[in-house]
Amino acid sequence: MMVNALQELLQGFFGSAFPLVWTLLKIVLIIAPLLLAVAYLTFWERKIIGWMQVRIGPNRVGPWGLIQPIADGVKLLLKEIVIPTGANKGIFLIAPMFAFAPALAAWAVIPFNDTLVLANVNASLLYIMAVTSVGVYGIILSGWSSNSKYAFLGGMRSAAQMISYEIAMGLALVVVLMVSNSLNLGDIVKGQSQGMFAEHGLGFLSWNWLPLLPMFGVYLIATVAETNRAPFDMAEGESEIVGFHVEYSGMAFAVFFLAEYANMILVSTLTAILFLGGWLSPVGFLPDSVFWLFAKISAVLFFFLWIRATFPRYRYDQIMRLGWKVFIPLCLVWLIVVACWMMSPWNIWK
Amino acid sequence: MADIRNYTLNFGPQHPAAHGVLRMVLELDGEVVVRADPHIGLLHRATEKLAENKTWVQSVPYMDRLDYVSMMCNEHGYCMAIEKLLGIEVPIRAQYIRVMFDEITRILNHLLWVGTHGLDVGAMTMVLYAFREREDLVDVYEAVSGARMHAAYYRPGGVYRDLPDRMPQYKESKWKSAAEVKSLNDIRSGSLLDFLEDFVTRFPKLLDEYETLLTDNRIWKQRLVDVGIVSPERAMQLGFTGPMLRGSGVAWDLRKKQPYEVYDRLDFDIPVGVTGDSYDRYLVRMEEMRQSNRILRQCIDWLRNDSAKGAGPVISDNHKVAPPPREGMKSNMEELIHHFKLCTEGIHVPEGEAYAAVEHPKGEFGIYAISDGANKPYRLKIRPPGYVHLSAMNEMAKGHMLADVVAIVGTMDIVFGEIDR
């Protein structure tokens, strides 16, 4: 009712420009909480890793340190953006935006429940693959335009890494879309609500993660590599090459930082939607709701932080070997296995 | 067509993995290291030259600042060289105290090493766990010498003073609640030896925890196994000592081969590696911590018994070397003169030269001292283990990748205080 009343009010006010305004409003409603979530994800990362490392983490700014991310943001906003001599100024400044924009744009097709989605397009999975691939340009361009040897190495490393893992990730997704028979993220979630276990009220066993367990593993690890997070953080590799963004300061650096965390939230959401049943309730006696989606995203995000505190960093060639010699063959084999399974009388995805 | 040239990368001195001020010029073919050229001298403080202008005892604190993560071992080497020149005996209790603090220092050093090595390789949690344990050991340093780092506790002829009967206590503050303070003070309620015994009991379990994080971790193994292999022959040719040499499989340890102080009375083993790669050196150092823990327990037991029998002296009673007790100085003319001479001129060391070496946590730390009979050294030469190890950088890093260089710097356990002196 409220929504309808607001819609009419705005329609009367803006006239023919209304659809545009309405869409913009919806975009803001997604982006603003997302940015807040990104800010507080950085806070939670510091807190959680702090607890794992017998530290306290930030607790000085505001109650329990809750204002810390805002203080960090203000500090970075007020700092000078130093542009190194010899850097290509235009590309140098555009690169952070290249990294950040795709992480936000991909949210256009993310469904929060049956109806709540900005753009319910049928090729939404394809759209996400296409848009997130652009993110790597931000990193390559920043490494290239900084005119720094360290940044250049970081850019090269990350280009190779992201392209390799995109293949493994893409193949894992092909398996998902095969069993879902759809590229629409909403339909993929709905497909997971059916099955033998779901009928007995054990919905969480009908989600894609169980029948596609190897793909779930590959996808989860590939997303860690895709977002350049530890133990695959060699694009940053702070103890080796300091990172593709060594030359960045102030808000230009902060945008890379935001992009990394926004990407983390995005891939966690995708994991939740593709493998963990999106907004579906894990058990029959509880209703489906967007709460479940957020709970699953948080769980996957916690996994990201947890492995960062636990594992050493891979070496460049080892990451490549894992991607090309382990994940891609595994995905191909599993693709064929699932294809045969679907053709057999034991097909569970009818 | 333009020539394809190798990429020259300046690694450090401002670099998170430079372990201080290491500067390396790396020639890279892609990510593969063709040549690694370490540059030194950025932390040069002329310790050897400064020592020529100070009395013998005044240089003891300078020794702390050489390898600033194994402070007391440096002092030990220096004091041993002076004792050799003077030809004096150190009281047995002082020998046990020295050995005990050498082993505490070894654990301190190896803990810092495992932390920073982990950090270099990306396991950043290790460094915080290691520092949690270091905290207890620097508390022991503080209790005995008043300083948590640069102790200046050893003296030619013994140690500065006997072990204290009580540990410093924590006080409640804005940051430490009453409950926290109580739990901290509970283990600090007894003497230094009680506190240390508590640590010695806890420590093996903590080591097991570190090992669960690292030893069988696939990524950790992938990063260390077969990285920076040094054959036993080559290790000896390069002049390696300490864990670097033992990692290559040479069972050489001064504590066993040329026992000094009371090491010949103590029961401990020397771990050696097999392949001589970074992983073996990691295992050797982890095992050394366990062995040091064993030695610590034996020292604690001996010192306990000795205290029960009425503790013996901790510094030589030769008052030409060590100052007389305060009471004697107040009542006795001769001892007043000794005190005056020692505090104004310092020790006069007979003419001659001596080399003394200790098994420092990083290898053989030697002091070569020449005396012309004056109250200060004519010349002092420090043999730092890290300097020798660093000079093998090119050989160890060649053919490996950039990320391995960081792992190799970590496995060398480099501290620039001793390399640049």
Side-chain angles (χ1 to χ4, degrees):
Chain A
M1 287 304 288
M2 285 250 316
V3 177
N4 283 341
L6 185 70
Q7 220 163 347
E8 268 166 39
L9 186 77
L10 288 172
Q11 201 148 22
F13 192 72
F14 289 103
S16 58
F18 167 72
L20 182 71
V21 173
W22 188 241
T23 314
L24 277 177
L25 197 67
K26 284 198 276 190
I27 291 175
V28 169
L29 278 179
I30 293 177
I31 299 291
L34 175 69
L35 290 183
L36 202 66
V38 166
Y40 278 89
L41 179 60
T42 63
F43 175 74
W44 274 113
E45 166 163 52
R46 291 173 65 183
K47 270 291 184 193
I48 287 171
I49 293 186
W51 289 327
M52 287 179 181
Q53 297 178 337
V54 288
R55 298 185 283 125
I56 323 171
N59 68 347
R60 296 287 98 180
V61 193
W64 307 289
L66 277 172
I67 311 296
Q68 184 71 46
I70 293 159
D72 288 343
V74 170
K75 183 201 83 172
L76 286 166
L77 267 173
L78 294 177
K79 281 194 134 180
E80 184 189 355
I81 299 175
V82 180
I83 296 168
T85 13
N88 186 327
K89 194 173 171 185
I91 301 178
F92 186 79
L93 291 176
I94 282 175
M97 295 165 209
F98 257 108
F100 192 37
L104 298 183
W107 284 85
V109 295
I110 299 284
F112 295 96
N113 66 22
D114 299 12
T115 49
L116 208 59
V117 52
L118 181 63
N120 193 1
V121 286
N122 274 333
S124 44
L125 193 57
L126 209 57
Y127 167 82
I128 284 191
M129 287 297 290
V131 164
T132 51
S133 306
V134 177
V136 70
Y137 285 104
I139 294 177
I140 299 175
L141 290 180
S142 67
W144 182 264
S145 65
S146 298
N147 193 27
S148 151
K149 292 183 175 182
Y150 284 103
F152 176 68
L153 273 175
M156 290 299 106
R157 281 178 172 198
S158 116
Q161 173 184 348
M162 288 176 96
I163 289 164
S164 319
Y165 278 80
E166 210 133 89
I167 298 172
M169 203 166 126
L171 285 171
L173 294 184
V174 167
V175 180
V176 173
L177 76 90
M178 253 165 60
V179 301
S180 319
N181 209 5
S182 169
L183 274 168
N184 185 313
L185 290 174
D187 291 344
I188 292 176
V189 173
K190 281 172 213 151
Q192 295 178 60
S193 66
Q194 295 137 24
M196 195 173 70
F197 292 110
E199 281 155 25
H200 291 90
L202 291 169
F204 69 101
L205 292 174
S206 278
W207 299 342
N208 279 340
W209 68 271
L210 186 61
L212 304 181
L213 195 57
M215 290 303 98
F216 179 54
V218 168
Y219 183 79
L220 210 54
I221 297 170
T223 55
V224 179
E226 273 289 295
T227 47
N228 282 324
R229 294 284 301 177
F232 299 93
D233 62 338
M234 44 155 217
E236 195 180 330
E238 46 192 356
S239 63
E240 295 154 23
I241 55 162
V242 206
F244 58 89
H245 47 34
V246 251
E247 302 294 343
Y248 282 86
S249 60
M251 212 48 207
F253 168 75
V255 169
F256 275 117
F257 207 70
L258 292 175
E260 181 179 333
Y261 286 83
N263 268 321
M264 268 168 74
I265 299 180
L266 177 68
V267 294
S268 305
T269 311
L270 281 177
T271 314
I273 287 175
L274 297 171
F275 289 96
L276 299 174
W279 59 82
L280 300 176
S281 153
V283 280
F285 56 84
L286 291 171
D288 297 341
S289 103
V290 73
F291 162 79
W292 294 115
L293 180 65
F294 291 140
K296 288 164 191 170
I297 296 172
S298 310
V300 180
L301 283 173
F302 176 77
F303 165 80
F304 271 79
L305 306 183
W306 186 15
I307 58 169
R308 176 167 181 215
T310 312
F311 288 125
R313 184 183 305 112
Y314 266 114
R315 201 172 59 205
Y316 177 60
D317 59 322
Q318 291 163 348
I319 291 188
M320 290 296 122
R321 195 181 59 205
L322 186 71
W324 288 97
K325 292 192 181 167
V326 181
F327 283 176
I328 293 177
L330 183 72
C331 285
L332 286 171
V333 169
W334 199 251
L335 187 72
I336 294 162
V337 169
V338 171
C340 296
W341 189 357
M342 289 180 74
M343 285 298 144
S344 72
W346 303 286
N347 181 9
I348 56 169
W349 296 283
K350 268 177 281 195
Chain B
M1 203 177 96
D3 284 343
I4 297 175
R5 277 178 303 145
N6 285 334
Y7 202 55
T8 310
L9 189 73
N10 190 30
F11 181 104
Q14 301 291 332
H15 189 281
H19 282 228
V21 287
L22 169 62
R23 176 180 172 226
M24 262 191 299
V25 178
L26 297 175
E27 209 178 300
L28 300 175
D29 176 10
E31 284 231 3
V32 177
V33 176
V34 180
R35 193 173 57 92
D37 184 9
H39 288 215
I40 59 161
L42 290 154
L43 198 62
H44 180 57
R45 293 160 302 179
T47 309
E48 292 172 0
K49 191 69 189 168
L50 280 168
E52 290 172 19
N53 298 297
K54 306 234 171 306
T55 65
W56 289 90
V57 176
Q58 275 173 346
S59 289
V60 171
Y62 275 94
M63 297 299 133
D64 287 326
R65 286 152 180 82
L66 286 174
D67 177 356
Y68 43 77
V69 287
S70 28
M71 296 69 65
M72 287 204 194
C73 287
N74 306 336
E75 295 171 21
H76 197 174
Y78 179 67
C79 290
M80 263 171 59
I82 301 173
E83 284 150 14
K84 213 168 182 176
L85 280 170
L86 288 163
I88 55 168
E89 275 293 307
V90 178
I92 183 79
R93 186 174 171 85
Q95 292 190 24
Y96 268 102
I97 292 176
R98 278 183 177 186
V99 166
M100 186 170 85
F101 274 97
D102 275 10
E103 297 309 317
I104 289 176
T105 309
R106 197 176 314 278
I107 295 178
L108 272 175
N109 177 80
H110 284 4
L111 278 176
L112 187 104
W113 162 81
V114 77
T116 49
H117 191 27
L119 199 60
D120 288 344
V121 179
M124 60 171 178
T125 305
M126 270 320 294
V127 71
L128 289 131
Y129 289 169
F131 266 79
R132 177 183 59 188
E133 271 65 76
R134 270 176 65 90
E135 196 62 20
D136 286 342
L137 293 176
V138 290
D139 275 357
V140 175
Y141 258 52
E142 187 185 1
V144 82
S145 71
R148 294 163 70 79
M149 201 168 161
H150 297 310
Y153 177 56
Y154 293 9
R155 292 283 182 280
V159 294
Y160 168 58
R161 62 168 191 172
D162 205 346
L163 303 173
D165 294 328
R166 47 188 290 274
M167 290 292 293
Q169 305 286 308
Y170 277 93
K171 284 208 185 83
E172 202 180 320
S173 70
K174 197 171 149 193
W175 294 279
K176 284 204 161 54
S177 67
E180 253 178 289
V181 169
K182 190 180 177 307
S183 77
L184 282 168
N185 282 345
D186 268 353
I187 48 171
R188 287 170 174 77
S189 55
S191 68
L192 184 144
L193 286 177
D194 295 332
F195 177 69
L196 203 56
E197 185 160 28
D198 177 67
F199 176 82
V200 168
T201 328
R202 270 182 292 139
F203 191 55
K205 278 194 221 93
L206 297 166
L207 272 177
D208 291 342
E209 262 178 42
Y210 305 159
E211 295 222 34
T212 52
L213 262 181
L214 297 178
T215 304
D216 285 325
N217 185 321
R218 288 174 67 111
I219 304 178
W220 181 255
K221 276 177 108 166
Q222 282 181 22
R223 287 299 306 276
L224 293 193
V225 172
D226 288 345
V227 170
I229 298 182
V230 184
S231 69
E233 298 77 34
R234 196 61 196 137
M236 283 192 277
Q237 283 164 359
L238 287 165
F240 280 14
T241 46
M244 293 289 287
L245 182 61
R246 293 193 284 274
S248 295
V250 183
W252 176 263
D253 189 317
L254 292 180
R255 294 175 294 172
K256 284 276 188 207
K257 301 288 172 184
Q258 301 169 8
Y260 49 97
E261 311 295 11
V262 288
Y263 276 115
D264 48 353
R265 301 190 195 185
L266 297 166
D267 187 24
F268 62 100
D269 299 319
I270 301 300
V272 288
V274 179
T275 49
D277 57 4
S278 296
Y279 189 66
D280 276 7
R281 289 187 281 269
Y282 157 77
L283 292 177
V284 163
R285 288 192 174 105
M286 292 306 265
E287 183 55 31
E288 270 185 20
M289 281 198 263
R290 290 180 197 279
Q291 296 301 330
S292 293
N293 206 55
R294 256 174 89 188
I295 300 176
L296 276 183
R297 185 168 286 285
Q298 296 168 50
C299 288
I300 293 169
D301 290 344
W302 191 93
L303 287 165
R304 273 252 165 77
N305 278 331
D306 190 52
S307 302
K309 282 184 284 185
V314 292
I315 194 157
S316 165
D317 55 0
N318 180 347
H319 295 322
K320 300 268 183 242
V321 176
R326 210 88 196 139
E327 305 86 69
M329 192 191 101
K330 299 280 183 190
S331 55
N332 185 325
M333 189 63 191
E334 191 165 344
E335 299 201 339
L336 180 66
I337 294 169
H338 277 312
H339 179 268
F340 178 75
K341 292 291 269 181
L342 273 175
C343 290
T344 50
E345 284 182 8
I347 310 168
H348 281 269
V349 172
E351 211 170 314
E353 41 194 84
Y355 177 79
V358 290
E359 186 66 29
H360 184 274
K362 294 183 169 66
E364 176 179 334
F365 178 87
I367 296 279
Y368 184 65
I370 302 179
S371 171
D372 57 359
N375 59 349
K376 49 194 184 183
Y378 174 75
R379 175 79 171 91
L380 192 75
K381 167 83 182 92
I382 301 162
R383 190 247 181 237
Y387 178 76
V388 181
H389 298 154
L390 182 66
S391 55
M393 190 70 214
N394 185 37
E395 198 172 320
M396 286 171 79
K398 202 184 279 179
H400 285 302
M401 302 194 84
L402 178 59
D404 292 326
V405 172
V406 176
I408 291 170
V409 172
T411 195
M412 281 179 176
D413 195 6
I414 279 171
V415 163
F416 259 76
E418 56 157 8
I419 290 170
D420 286 344
R421 281 160 286 155

